[in-house]
Amino acid sequence: MAPACAAKLGAWLFVLFLCLTIHAGIAAATIQGYIGDIDMTCPSVCRCDEDFIYCNDRGLSSIPSLPPSASVLYLQNNHINNPGLPTSLERHLSVRVVYLYDNELDEFPMHLPPSVRELHLQDNNIRTIPRSTLARMPLLEKLHLDDNSISTVSIEDQAFADNPRLRLLFLSRNHLSSIPSGLPASLEELRLDDNRISTIPTHAFRGLNSLRCLVLDGNLLANQRIADDTFSRLSNLTELSLVRNSLQTPPVNLPSAHLQRLSLQDNALTHMPRGSLDGMHRLLRLDLSGNNLTTLPRGLFKDLDSLGQLLVRGNPWHCGCNLRWLYDWLRARGNTITVRGLICHGPERVRDLALIDLGSEMEECEVVRLTGTKDKAAVGGGESSTTNTPPQGSLFTLRSKRPGFGFPDSGLDYTLSNSGVGKSLALNVKPLSHNSIRVTWSAAQPSSSFRLSWLRQGTGNAMESITETLVRGDRQEYLLTSLQPRSSYIICMVPLPVSSESRATISGDADSEEALVCAKAETSDLTSLEEEEDENSQQFTTLPLAGIIGGATATVSLALIFGIFCWYGHRTGHLCSRDHYTRSSSRKSKTYDDYIESGTKKDNTILEIRGPGFQMTPMPACQPMQPKPLREDYIIHTIFPSNGTGLYKGSNHVSNAGQGTNRGYREGGIPDIDYCYT
């Protein structure tokens, strides 16, 4: 009974083991098949890492079949064009990010999955942005279109109307001439740098209340072509970059509530108006590098409580008492602010020194607060001018109805010429055009700066308001621009003392009145100037014609002389000789002889075999010979090794080598004839 039970139990255990083995085999086959299916769905030219498909830098001209689980497609740096995008791509609803930059797309790609949230299309040749194509991607959040050929007119009206989630739009380095219209209100970052934008109207950024970063670097922007309230509508803007434009002052009404980074480097800034940075309590970084600033007005940084970086390198700073307030402000801030590039360009005694290191010089300055809103310093000029050549009637000069020193009374009979000479100053003025006058001067003694004033004489004895500016002491000329045509101007100048005295010396004391030098100039009429320019242009047009005629004559003469010289040389046979040949010339000589003409290069070198063999030597050239034959004789000599062995085995080692036969030669397989002809 016991053996039967044991046998039955063993049978059941065998059946159970067999079932487990079969089940394990089926499971392994299933797993292997699943893996095989995955390997088959991943393109052979690509590499798959879960849902990341790497097909970049493969030289593809079309997109291969993709696995259904793909979510991020790396297809950059290929040769994919628009026909290379299959329609089946629309059915991959798990795709979220597509990299298609640096390909050969000339149109905005179609058949992209509607699930795409981030699309990179930079470095292609896309010309248009159609609304219908963008409407197929309603979930799009980031769109990169840098380095394409998109112009303002090629963007369809309301092209982004069906993309309510678009937060980032890059259109750098295209052909835009204005701000695209119809931008979505959800936009948070807009980059339009390195385009051709020259004008920004009032409505350009209307509705973009969510915009936080705006980059307009490398365009053609100027103050006159930017509307006053253009940027004031961007209430949530935190970063504004206007690098590499043509701004002379910061745009007015900048958004101040949330602005944290302001970049104005590499412009033509010559003046920072008082109040241009008011209200920017959150500003962290201010970059004014690469401009023409010489000073900053007092109180410019009064609201910059959070400023941590101030970059001002590349400006010709004039570190006189005009910057005493900035010196005190930097010392009060201490280590809470990082300053780069605040190096003095003048006066000469402090050149190449940092402003923060001018402790003793700044202590000499006596700050005198005058009535009104103008604070001026004694050394180095004040805040009335921060430019080298300020235009007329701009923000760079001060207009005053009561100048610091008096002009000649128009009611008296003054006779002013185009030059004036005083005790310490010689002044000369010269009209250059209908709206500009050049002012030059020479001072007998060095001065820290000069006060230059000019006014236009009206009808009768009427005088208009006086315009004044301060000019650095190292300059000797100044250009007045934007003047009225056919008008008389009285121009006066007075040197300011070098010593740090009270500002009363600039306000018009007796010394300044004595040092005052004036001159008179009259701008020309616009019509007469045009006639003069026409006459000059007619005179100048004759000069190129005379130069062309003279050059042609000289060229023909030289050609004739050279032709005569070549003809004479050919006749005498010294320039071109077909028979001239030098035996010592190199193998690559260009002289023509019968060898070159027959296609054979002549070689007089010795052919030597480094073992038992033959030596080919030319016949001596010095032997008397008849005229050059059509062939050349060579004698073949046997060369015997140094050990005395020959080319054959036999008793007669040497025979008559010059003629006859030799049995040993025949046994060695060598022909009997010693003479050979070439």
Side-chain angles (χ1 to χ4, degrees), residues 510-539:
D511 295 338
S512 298
E513 292 289 348
E514 293 179 359
L516 177 65
V517 178
C518 295
K520 186 177 181 181
E522 184 175 353
T523 56
S524 60
D525 193 2
L526 183 59
T527 56
S528 62
L529 182 64
E530 293 177 351
E531 294 176 356
E532 183 179 356
E533 291 179 352
D534 293 339
E535 294 177 359
N536 294 335
S537 62
Q538 293 177 0
Q539 295 176 359

Side-chain angles (χ1 to χ4, degrees), residues 43-326:
S44 59
V45 295
C46 305
R47 181 175 63 87
C48 301
D49 185 5
E50 295 182 354
D51 55 346
F52 290 81
I53 312 300
Y54 297 93
C55 299
N56 54 297
D57 301 280
R58 300 294 199 278
L60 302 176
S61 59
S62 61
I63 299 178
S65 299
L66 302 174
S69 61
S71 64
V72 181
L73 306 181
Y74 292 94
L75 299 166
Q76 69 271 18
N77 299 326
N78 283 293
H79 304 288
I80 301 174
N81 50 22
N82 289 89
L85 275 69
T87 57
S88 60
L89 194 61
E90 297 179 351
R91 297 191 291 271
H92 291 270
L93 301 181
S94 59
V95 175
R96 295 179 290 104
V97 182
V98 179
Y99 292 91
L100 271 170
Y101 62 84
D102 197 7
N103 277 283
E104 299 178 2
L105 301 174
D106 52 8
E107 295 179 1
F108 201 95
M110 301 179 62
H111 310 303
L112 291 177
S115 58
V116 172
R117 289 174 171 79
E118 184 174 345
L119 181 58
H120 293 259
L121 296 174
Q122 55 267 41
D123 287 304
N124 281 281
N125 194 29
I126 299 174
R127 297 181 177 88
T128 60
I129 302 181
R131 178 178 179 179
S132 58
T133 305
L134 282 174
R136 299 183 179 185
M137 295 177 287
L139 303 179
L140 189 62
E141 298 178 358
K142 298 180 181 180
L143 179 58
H144 297 259
L145 286 168
D146 314 75
D147 297 285
N148 279 281
S149 303
I150 301 172
S151 61
T152 304
V153 297
S154 65
I155 301 177
E156 189 176 344
D157 190 25
Q158 301 296 321
F160 306 97
D162 299 317
N163 303 99
R165 297 189 179 185
L166 190 62
R167 297 185 294 106
L168 184 145
L169 178 60
F170 284 9
L171 286 169
S172 306
R173 293 174 296 279
N174 278 278
H175 306 319
L176 301 176
S177 58
S178 61
I179 307 295
S181 60
L183 296 175
S186 58
L187 209 58
E188 297 180 2
E189 184 173 356
L190 178 61
R191 292 182 177 267
L192 302 172
D193 47 303
D194 294 301
N195 280 279
R196 304 170 184 173
I197 301 174
S198 60
T199 304
I200 303 181
T202 304
H203 60 274
F205 303 114
R206 182 177 298 170
L208 301 182
N209 298 325
S210 301
L211 193 63
R212 299 183 180 276
C213 178
L214 177 60
V215 179
L216 292 168
D217 301 348
N219 281 283
L220 307 174
L221 297 176
N223 294 89
Q224 297 82 358
R225 295 188 289 269
I226 300 177
D228 291 345
D229 56 347
T230 295
F231 300 104
S232 61
R233 301 173 180 271
L234 306 175
S235 56
N236 292 315
L237 197 66
T238 59
E239 180 178 352
L240 177 61
S241 184
L242 295 167
V243 181
R244 291 181 288 110
N245 281 281
S246 302
L247 301 175
Q248 294 180 330
T249 60
V252 297
N253 299 327
L254 291 177
S256 57
H258 300 90
L259 196 62
Q260 298 179 2
R261 299 169 65 91
L262 179 59
S263 301
L264 297 171
Q265 64 265 34
D266 297 325
N267 276 274
L269 296 182
T270 52
H271 181 72
M272 292 290 292
R274 190 192 309 272
S276 57
L277 303 178
D278 287 355
M280 298 185 184
H281 296 280
R282 299 186 181 182
L283 192 65
L284 301 176
R285 186 178 186 273
L286 176 62
D287 197 340
L288 300 174
S289 306
N291 287 286
N292 296 321
L293 297 171
T294 59
T295 187
L296 297 174
R298 175 182 296 273
L300 181 66
F301 298 159
K302 65 178 182 178
D303 292 335
L304 305 186
D305 307 326
S306 304
L307 189 64
Q309 283 185 305
L310 178 61
L311 309 177
V312 292
R313 60 171 56 91
N315 287 281
W317 297 111
H318 191 77
C319 300
C321 293
N322 55 313
L323 291 180
R324 170 62 187 270
W325 73 270
L326 183 57

